[in-house]
Amino acid sequence: GERWQPSIANWLFTSARRVAGHQRRAAARRARREGRAAVPESVLPVDRMTGRELLAAIDEELDRLPPIYGEPLLLYYQEEAGREEIAARLGVPVATVKTRLERGRRRLRVALTRRGLVTSTGLLALMATSRAGASPSRLVEAIRAMPAGKVSPAVAALAEGVAVNGVIRKALFGLLAAAATLGIGFGLGQPRSTTAGQQPEKAMPARSEKKDAPAARPAVEQAITVHGKVVDPDGKPVAGAKFAVIDDEAGAPVPKVSSAPDGRFTFELSRPEGIVRNPRQVVASAPGFGLEWLSEPREDAVIKLVPDQPIIGKVIDLQGKPVAGVTVSVHNIHAGPPGAFDGLVKSWKNPTEERDEAAGKLDRSIWNRGGLGQAFHVKTAVDGTFTLSGLGADRVVTLLVTGPGIADTFADVATRKGFDPKDNPPAPKAKRESHPRTPLQLYPPDFALAVAPDKPVTGVVRDGETGAPLGGVRVTGASMTGEIGFGTVWFHAWPTPLTTTDKDGRFTLRGLAKARAYVLLADPDEGTEYLHRFDQVEDTTAFDPIQTGFSLPRGVVLTGRVTDAVSGAAAPSRVFYRPLAKNDQLYGGYGPPDYPAPWHRGRDTKTDLQGRYKITVATGPGVVNFQAYGGNYERARATQNEIDDGIVDKQFGHFRTLGQGGMFNPEYMHVYKVVDFGAKERAATLDVTVRPQDQPKSKPADGK
């Protein structure tokens, strides 16, 4: 609580400085060793991105902050109101304001740090382009005026478009200015997902032959050549290394190559098409070493493998009997700079801020959305044992155990030989914290994991109007076993098993742990004619299946294109929708009933590279928002009529919306449109343009 009182900026700045220092020193060592320019190999420079791909991930966490915590934070940091003033404005006791501020800070920090969006300097810099408001001219002018060579192109580019949420505005402005002064080079690290869906029990997709490029398009548009070398921890070439591509958008084939005797390799990555993508991770592995990865490598990539520590485990049931034939897949891998793992080993049993800070230093992570578990998994033997090699020493490797009849179970393994959880008693707490933190469980590389029976859920998903069964609809769920959002988990999210309805609309969801209640979600694809629906069901006797079902309402399929108002070119963007608070046509279950809730993007999508989008929205009044990933575009502003009509909150300036997701302001958008579709409407078109900064306006852009 009180340690955070000075400001959230201090914590962000300190973390960024620490990580940036590690990156500079590591880059300098590589430069001396390899005799070439120092470029951090673990990050993707801004100028090599195809847009601001990670904006959506950051915005998701800010949107998910409940208003009960978001409003006090906005008042405290953006308007610099004192606790007494906040209490008066919100109509609550001062003690309540203090509690909400403490919990709001912790929720925001834990959420961002867990996903790796804070302790990476690159993502801190990227956050400065998220939640846009106008750039402070003094910062931009100061960076523009700096002598050549004193500021990196990435920092300069980011400063031109910098604008942030009020809660972290001062922190990021100060961070960018300090980075420019100190010459810190920003890069983009790996995105971290909070989803934890059930992993496929199959190997990596079979290698497929590349199709010939259409004659009308040059081959260079069809593929990106990647070449470089694989070396061991001492810098010597590694022959026979294999590769996998972790792609969280659409999957990727396994490159059909191995490194040559001199460690060199060459293969092709498909050129991103369709929706705007998150960076792909190229993983290299070889027997006897721990794997390593690079984000979107291109020319002269150097992948340096690390020493290995095999994981030898055994899966048992609650009676201690071996469980055979279940899948143990690699869900996440977390690494950090030198000394980071030592700090975690020292403090992991002490559930305080010190523990959280130590865990946050393992900030190089590869998460499973793109099929990490498909590339690295194994099944338990008859005696319940398994072995996984090649994941690397001095890391936290999160394993996910799934199988028939058992609850999905995570295990965070500390891959250090001799690590024994019993050898490290918890350190005494410096003071009693206002909110207790859940202990972190780490397993040694030789361990037994007990798994419990699962709680089956069965049902049918139907059309809400006709009652007809709906096939192909995702159904996912989460067990309400405890509070989420205060450091309950660190290296993974809560399990959210997933299934899909058959042609008769039927589903059987397996993998949920028995709990007092369960949050379920029927989640059609964006752009289909049906909307999602949440439900909360209470537990039933023992492990008897729960019988339930969903009726899905039809929405309005909204299509359109986002383009540059001056050039007419496509402007790839994030597109998301929220119903307004005055919408009286929403149904029960549009928003989640309680947390933990299964992962759901709300009405959220991205355009393709031609600026086209397709999204399903509710009838009644709502707001459709557009955030362009690239370029330096003007920001939207609320009209007085929208404020007077209650669409935008008069006091805090955010849209007054319903459903999943927190508060966001018109200034966070490049364009937004207030829509109001009738109950019988089923399709509509909405094209918008984004206007570059400092362009003369011959007429109002998009009606604003």
Side-chain angles (χ1 to χ4, degrees):
E2 294 304 320
R3 296 181 187 178
W4 267 68
Q5 192 61 30
S7 86
I8 207 170
N10 292 341
W11 182 83
L12 289 171
F13 181 75
T14 301
S15 297
R17 286 285 304 275
R18 184 187 306 116
V19 176
H22 284 305
Q23 288 187 337
R24 290 198 307 274
R25 288 189 291 273
R29 285 195 298 269
R30 280 193 295 272
R32 289 192 299 267
R33 183 176 67 246
E34 300 173 12
R36 59 183 178 85
V39 178
E41 297 169 354
S42 62
V43 296
L44 179 61
V46 172
D47 58 4
R48 282 164 57 185
M49 297 292 286
T50 57
R52 307 294 195 223
E53 291 94 339
L54 304 182
L55 283 176
I58 299 165
D59 285 333
E60 284 162 4
E61 291 300 343
L62 290 167
D63 284 347
R64 289 167 68 91
L65 195 67
I68 192 174
Y69 301 122
E71 289 185 2
L73 284 175
L74 285 171
L75 285 171
Y76 190 81
Y77 286 107
Q78 180 168 299
E79 300 192 20
E80 299 185 354
R83 290 177 180 171
E84 293 77 8
E85 182 182 351
I86 296 173
R89 292 172 70 169
L90 297 182
V92 297
V94 175
T96 301
V97 171
K98 181 178 183 294
T99 300
R100 291 181 182 179
L101 284 171
E102 290 174 347
R103 293 184 177 181
R105 294 180 190 118
R106 190 174 293 119
R107 280 189 176 220
L108 183 59
R109 184 187 62 171
V110 167
L112 293 177
T113 305
R114 182 192 300 135
R115 295 180 66 167
L117 303 182
V118 168
T119 54
S120 162
T121 56
L123 291 179
L124 272 173
L126 186 61
M127 288 170 71
T129 68
S130 179
R131 303 280 182 166
S135 301
S137 58
R138 291 180 181 176
L139 172 64
V140 176
E141 290 172 1
I143 294 179
R144 282 175 174 169
M146 293 189 68
K150 294 296 185 181
V151 56
S152 72
V155 172
L158 288 168
E160 293 290 340
V162 63
V164 296
N165 181 278
V167 177
I168 54 177
R169 178 168 312 192
K170 294 179 181 178
L172 292 175
F173 288 168
L175 179 63
L176 278 174
T181 302
L182 297 173
I184 297 173
F186 284 106
L188 300 180
Q190 288 74 22
R192 301 178 69 169
S193 163
T194 58
T195 56
Q198 189 169 356
Q199 299 311 307
E201 297 183 13
K202 61 182 181 181
M204 201 71 173
R207 300 172 180 176
S208 59
E209 297 294 335
K210 287 189 175 293
K211 298 180 180 180
D212 293 334
R217 301 185 65 183
V220 69
E221 294 187 9
Q222 296 300 303
I224 298 170
T225 299
V226 179
H227 62 78
K229 62 180 178 179
V230 180
V231 299
D232 67 14
D234 296 323
K236 298 177 181 179
V238 174
K242 303 294 185 181
F243 301 90
V245 178
I246 310 302
D247 184 346
D248 73 350
E249 297 287 356
V254 178
K256 300 169 62 175
V257 299
S258 299
S259 59
D262 62 356
R264 297 208 167 266
F265 64 88
T266 299
F267 60 85
E268 291 183 340
L269 283 176
S270 61
R271 184 168 294 278
E273 295 184 1
I275 61 175
V276 179
R277 320 170 66 105
N278 286 332
R280 294 164 292 189
Q281 314 307 319
V282 173
V283 181
S285 60
F289 300 106
L291 60 79
E292 190 51 83
W293 65 93
L294 292 179
S295 179
E296 291 282 352
R298 294 293 185 265
E299 300 177 356
D300 297 323
V302 177
I303 304 181
K304 186 176 182 180
L305 304 181
V306 300
D308 193 24
Q309 172 57 57
I311 298 174
I312 302 173
K314 183 176 184 178
V315 179
I316 58 175
D317 62 19
L318 299 183
Q319 288 73 45
K321 298 179 180 178
V323 181
V326 297
T327 299
V328 182
S329 57
V330 179
H331 196 264
N332 312 316
I333 301 176
H334 308 271
F341 189 83
D342 294 328
L344 178 65
V345 169
K346 182 179 179 181
S347 62
W348 73 275
K349 279 194 173 182
N350 189 15
T352 62
E353 283 191 5
E354 287 77 11
R355 188 278 311 270
D356 292 355
E357 290 174 3
K361 291 179 182 177
L362 270 67
D363 58 359
R364 281 200 65 241
S365 302
I366 182 168
W367 287 64
N368 189 58
R369 287 176 62 189
L372 189 62
Q374 293 185 26
F376 303 97
H377 71 277
V378 69
K379 285 186 178 291
T380 58
V382 175
D383 60 355
T385 60
F386 67 91
T387 299
L388 281 165
S389 299
L391 302 173
D394 284 6
R395 293 172 169 176
V396 173
V397 176
T398 300
L399 303 178
L400 177 59
V401 180
T402 60
I406 66 170
D408 289 4
T409 307
F410 283 117
D412 295 318
V413 181
T415 59
R416 172 172 287 183
K417 185 177 182 179
F419 172 75
D420 187 347
K422 299 176 183 178
D423 290 343
N424 187 22
K429 291 187 179 180
K431 66 182 183 68
R432 182 180 179 273
E433 299 208 0
S434 59
H435 190 94
R437 298 165 189 261
T438 303
L440 171 66
Q441 175 64 57
L442 289 180
Y443 291 90
D446 186 351
F447 71 105
L449 178 68
V451 295
D454 72 335
K455 182 73 173 183
V457 178
T458 65
V460 179
V461 177
R462 300 182 181 276
D463 184 308
E465 295 180 5
T466 67
L470 299 177
V473 176
R474 294 185 302 271
V475 178
T476 186
S479 299
M480 298 181 65
T481 56
E483 188 173 15
I484 297 293
F486 292 92
T488 303
V489 290
W490 253 104
F491 297 110
H492 59 265
W494 56 95
T496 53
L498 172 71
T499 190
T500 304
T501 60
D502 64 16
K503 61 182 179 61
D504 298 318
R506 299 186 179 278
F507 67 89
T508 299
L509 183 64
R510 305 300 302 262
L512 289 171
K514 185 173 173 62
R516 59 184 176 85
Y518 311 87
V519 178
L520 307 175
L521 169 65
D523 189 20
D525 287 335
E526 295 288 1
T528 60
E529 57 184 326
Y530 295 97
L531 292 166
H532 69 273
R533 193 166 205 148
F534 284 96
D535 190 20
Q536 180 174 319
V537 297
E538 301 301 314
D539 195 21
T540 56
T541 304
F543 291 93
D544 295 340
I546 296 173
Q547 295 184 345
T548 185
F550 292 91
S551 60
L552 299 186
R554 294 174 184 259
V556 180
V557 179
L558 187 63
T559 56
R561 191 164 182 252
V562 187
T563 55
D564 186 300
V566 176
S567 68
S573 304
R574 177 194 178 196
V575 184
F576 66 102
Y577 164 86
R578 298 289 186 272
L580 292 173
K582 63 180 183 179
N583 190 323
D584 59 0
Q585 297 187 36
L586 284 189
Y587 51 91
Y590 185 90
D594 202 351
Y595 281 98
W599 180 253
H600 177 62
R601 293 187 176 89
R603 299 293 92 187
D604 195 325
T605 189
K606 291 180 283 189
T607 68
D608 63 16
L609 297 181
Q610 285 71 49
R612 295 184 296 257
Y613 72 92
K614 188 176 185 181
I615 191 171
T616 313
V617 305
T619 58
V623 58
V624 186
N625 305 277
F626 301 86
Q627 294 175 325
Y629 287 113
N632 184 23
Y633 294 108
E634 292 180 353
R635 298 290 169 170
R637 295 179 62 89
T639 66
Q640 189 60 48
N641 286 340
E642 291 168 342
I643 296 173
D644 294 340
D645 292 345
I647 293 172
V648 176
D649 188 274
K650 184 177 299 185
Q651 183 175 9
F652 299 103
H654 59 78
F655 288 114
R656 299 182 65 243
T657 58
L658 300 172
Q660 190 174 27
M663 300 173 296
F664 51 91
N665 290 29
E667 290 80 9
Y668 302 165
M669 313 305 158
H670 293 107
V671 180
Y672 67 86
K673 290 291 186 179
V674 175
V675 296
D676 190 354
F677 296 112
K680 299 298 182 181
E681 288 191 68
R682 292 291 172 258
T685 301
L686 178 60
D687 294 327
V688 300
T689 58
V690 292
R691 181 169 293 277
Q693 291 276 17
D694 303 322
Q695 289 291 330
K697 297 182 181 179
S698 58
K699 58 181 180 179
D702 291 321
K704 291 187 175 54

